[in-house]
Amino acid sequence: MIGVLPLARSTFDVPLSEKFLERMLGVLEGTGYAIGGPRRLLMDQETTRAAIAELKQAPVSQVLVLQISFTDAAAMVEIANAFDKPLSIWAVPEPRTGGKLRLNSFCGLNLAGHALGLSGREFGYLYADPQSSGIEQAVKELLTGKRLGMSVAARPAQTGDPAGRAAARSLRGARIGRLGAHPDGFDTCSYDKAKLRELANVTVDELDITELFDAARREKADASASLREKVAPTLTGLDQVDQEQLDRSLSLKGALDRIRDTGAYDAFAIRCWPETFTEYGGAVCGPVAMMGEARVPCACEADVYGALTSLLLQKVAGQPAFLTDLVDLDESDNTGVVWHCGQAPLSMADPDAMPRAAIHNNRRMPLLYEFPLKPGRVTFFRLSQAKGKPMAVIGGGEMLKRPLAFNGTSGVVRFDSGSKAVLERIMGAALEHHMALAYGDHRAMLEAAAAELGLPVLVL
């Protein structure tokens, strides 16, 4: 019997998740396998644990997780620990509507794969619409072990470019301010201070997120008003968002500036949710976009390695970097979508699309920047700890001139390696869900920087 566990979260589109669950169960029933487990969405840790306990009493031969919407990796870790059985994950794409990212299933798959990679757990995966052509055959392959993540080896870095080596050396003595701990279940954002110091002689100061909020509350009203005047010509729709929440959001920019000056920080790693919304009352995404444009990279979800990644890429590229999620891959179109809530530097905006002041998809508060990324050559980079082994992940692609794929800041990219190969490498290497991008081709310099840091290279 196949034990099925459907994961979703209430902060995403529950009715759409239910539709996908119905379709996925229909496909599974058509394969001829006996199917067990709950036929309802497991929306939190408590219901997931209850379903695990119930399934452990059944004659399960393998476990299939339906990654219907985004979830962090905590549930996947519990499932993997509970069952000494073959394990697979089926995640689903969603239409690029230009509106809300309603499921964000791929990112959940990405986090789950990274967590399983850290524990050395083998797993199969499928990223496919349950209504797509050939889906029953693909699911049968998944259930018979023919879609396992294949190991991807890093190679020694080429040492050539002296400017890249110099950029890596310039990291020495850098300081990162970590404002709050990373969210539970985000193993992709964990770090070891001693290893980071050994890698690049970088110091991390661990501050409480309330220090950011307290500093923002001390910001004077005229400072926020002045920032609003500065921002207004670059964004449409400022008057259409909640003005009190907007003022609170803008105050976070002044607070970050003050904390940076006090601590002499080169970059930040910020626990951006949920507390900025639930305890403070305004989004930090817009201020993060402003900081990035000013060459002070800020990583979401307190991703310290993400902050260091962005800092190095910025030094190599000589321009702002954007730490982003990969949220979709389409093999038929040979493209992917990179996205984050609304924090890309303004210089990355498509000049034919006026940036808009927006609110957060799930938390419904400003300020976010919303625009499609401009077309052009881009480089991807990540200082990775996937499977517990440090390496540099380097890739290239072409950002296409396409309409906005999802709310926030997003772009449609055609990777040099092709979307199929990128999926296989992300899952096979169990990579983190954040990677930084900058415009231009900087791969040779980044490879030399990796050599200077003593890191092997995985080509994305």
Side-chain angles (χ1 to χ4, degrees), residues 152 417 420-431 458-460:
V152 182
S417 301
K420 184 176 186 292
V422 166
L423 174 60
E424 290 171 348
R425 292 170 191 178
I426 288 173
M427 299 311 298
L431 298 181
L458 188 150
V459 176
L460 184 65

Side-chain angles (χ1 to χ4, degrees), residues 228 237-250 281-283 357-359 364-367:
R228 191 187 194 285
L238 270 181
D239 292 335
Q240 278 71 60
V241 301
D242 184 290
Q243 297 300 293
E244 290 185 10
Q245 293 173 354
L246 174 62
D247 286 344
R248 286 196 290 270
S249 178
L250 293 172
I359 59 176
R364 315 308 294 169
M365 292 182 187
L367 172 68

